[in-house]
Amino acid sequence: VPSGRILSKGNGDAIITITRDKGWMAGGGCYVEVTIDGKSFARIDTGETFDINVVPGRHILGIAGDSKGKGLCAMQVGQPLKEISTQINSNESQRFRITGDTNSGLDIRPSML
């Protein structure tokens, strides 16, 4: 994710990596806003990845419509807030993937990719 779309910096020695799938099925056309514990961290496009340093503990990861979107993307159609919780330890790395389909829309899930 380019630095201009990183909205907040994390801190801590644990790392959460978030990747958004490529293509139309991944909601191409609009950015998705990634939140951690209710705070916006980045606006991610299809095929992009970014790392967030977090303090160890329980965190709520979320995706939502782009709060800075323009045109149809500003309407945040089909982009309801979706969240997942994770528990992360000191010096641990975890990966999550933003993916979706035409039936359920976008979602954020743990990933090995």
Side-chain angles (χ1 to χ4, degrees):
V1 174
S3 61
R5 285 191 273 115
I6 301 292
L7 306 174
S8 298
K9 300 289 182 191
N11 58 14
D13 63 358
I15 299 173
I16 294 175
T17 300
I18 298 177
T19 300
R20 185 173 173 190
D21 283 355
K22 295 180 183 178
W24 180 80
M25 295 298 279
C30 295
Y31 297 133
V32 170
E33 199 156 305
V34 176
T35 64
I36 298 182
D37 300 327
K39 181 179 180 182
S40 294
F41 268 81
R43 299 166 63 222
I44 189 170
D45 202 357
T46 57
E48 292 183 334
T49 296
F50 73 102
D51 295 329
I52 304 165
N53 287 76
V54 296
V55 296
R58 182 174 179 267
H59 296 281
I60 304 292
L61 309 179
I63 57 172
D66 182 13
S67 66
K68 298 179 187 252
K70 303 206 181 324
L72 292 176
C73 295
M75 296 174 65
Q76 301 181 14
V77 174
Q79 294 282 347
L81 177 65
K82 294 189 180 177
E83 296 176 311
I84 187 169
S85 68
T86 189
Q87 179 75 31
I88 193 165
N89 299 314
S90 184
N91 295 310
E92 183 181 4
S93 294
Q94 293 183 3
R95 299 183 66 80
F96 290 83
R97 178 177 167 205
I98 299 170
T99 189
D101 62 44
T102 55
N103 294 322
S104 63
L106 293 179
D107 204 355
I108 184 166
R109 304 172 186 148
S111 178
M112 294 302 298
L113 299 176

